[in-house]
Amino acid sequence: MASVNASMILAFAILGATVALFVFSKLRADLVALLSLLALYLSGILTTQQALAGFADSTVIMVAALFVVGEGLSRTGITAWLGQFFMRQAGESETRLLFVIMLGTAVLSAFLSNTGTVAMLLPAVVAASWRIGSLPSKFLIPMAFAANLGGLITLIGTPTNIVVSDTLVNAGYSGFGFFEFAIVGIPLTLLAVAFI
C-alpha cells in the first residue's frame, strides 16, 4: 500500500513538473514531453512496453506527421506566400482582410493541425494588419476561432477527430470517413465567418 501511494505521489510530482515546464517555456515542448516519459520510466511507474506504446500508435504517428507537414510548409515559403496572398486579397479593407484570414485559416486547418496552422499564419496576419493600419488583435482571435472550426471539416483536422475515429474502430464499429465531419463543420464555419 505504501509503495502504491509513493508511486502516485511521484507520478503527480512528475506531472506537476511537466505542467510547470510547459507553462514557463524554459525548454521546448517536445523535449519536456520526452523528459517526462523518461522520468516515468526511470522511476518505475511505467514499464518499457508502456513507455514505448505511444510510438506504435497510428494516431500518434498521424498527429506527428501533421506537425511535420506544417513545418515543411513554413520552411518552403508557403507561409510567406500566404501572407502576401492575404494582403493582396484584402486591399485596404479590414472587413475583407478578416474574411480572407478566417476563410483561409479554416481551409488550411481542415488539412493541417489547427495549432500548426495558427502558428504558421500568425506572422502573416500580424504583418497584414499593420500594413492596412489596423491592430493585429482584431484578427488574431477570429483566426483562432476559424482554425478550431476548420478542424471540424475533415478527419485529420484535429487530433481529437483521429482519436475518436480510432476508438470507434477499436471498439468494433466503423470509423469516420475523411469528410464525414464536414456535414457539421462547413455550416458552422460559414456561420461563424458571417457572424464575426
Side-chain angles (χ1 to χ4, degrees):
M1 184 71 171
S3 67
V4 171
N5 287 337
S7 294
M8 286 176 19
I9 291 169
L10 185 56
F12 278 117
I14 292 170
L15 178 63
T18 302
V19 170
L21 287 170
F22 279 138
V23 168
F24 295 111
S25 300
K26 295 295 182 186
L27 296 172
R28 291 186 349 232
D30 57 339
L31 188 58
V32 171
L34 288 174
L35 287 173
S36 300
L37 177 64
L38 188 62
L40 289 168
Y41 171 71
L42 292 177
S43 63
I45 295 171
L46 294 180
T47 65
T48 304
Q49 185 175 0
Q50 290 170 329
L52 299 176
F55 296 108
D57 189 352
S58 61
T59 305
V60 172
I61 302 302
M62 175 75 81
V63 171
L66 291 175
F67 280 104
V68 170
V69 169
E71 182 65 21
L73 290 173
S74 179
R75 290 188 184 209
T76 56
I78 302 281
T79 308
W81 178 83
L82 282 171
Q84 295 300 321
F85 175 77
F86 285 167
M87 286 189 244
R88 281 194 308 272
Q89 298 304 312
E92 297 296 321
S93 168
E94 278 189 17
T95 306
R96 281 182 64 186
L97 181 60
L98 184 62
F99 178 77
V100 169
I101 286 171
M102 288 190 73
L103 212 52
T105 302
V107 169
L108 280 175
S109 185
F111 300 100
L112 300 172
S113 159
N114 49 9
T115 307
T117 300
V118 170
M120 181 174 70
L121 293 178
L122 189 68
V125 170
V126 170
S129 63
W130 285 124
R131 185 181 127 336
I132 65 167
S134 186
L135 295 173
S137 58
K138 291 183 178 181
F139 304 99
L140 295 179
I141 291 295
M143 179 179 70
F145 285 139
N148 284 328
L149 289 166
L152 296 175
I153 295 174
T154 64
L155 177 63
I156 62 170
T158 65
T160 309
N161 296 355
I162 299 168
V163 170
V164 168
S165 184
D166 279 354
T167 303
L168 283 172
V169 170
N170 291 338
Y173 299 99
S174 61
F176 288 108
F178 191 79
F179 285 107
E180 202 163 341
F181 289 94
I183 297 168
V184 174
I186 290 175
L188 275 177
T189 302
L190 293 176
L191 281 171
V193 170
F195 176 77
I196 291 177

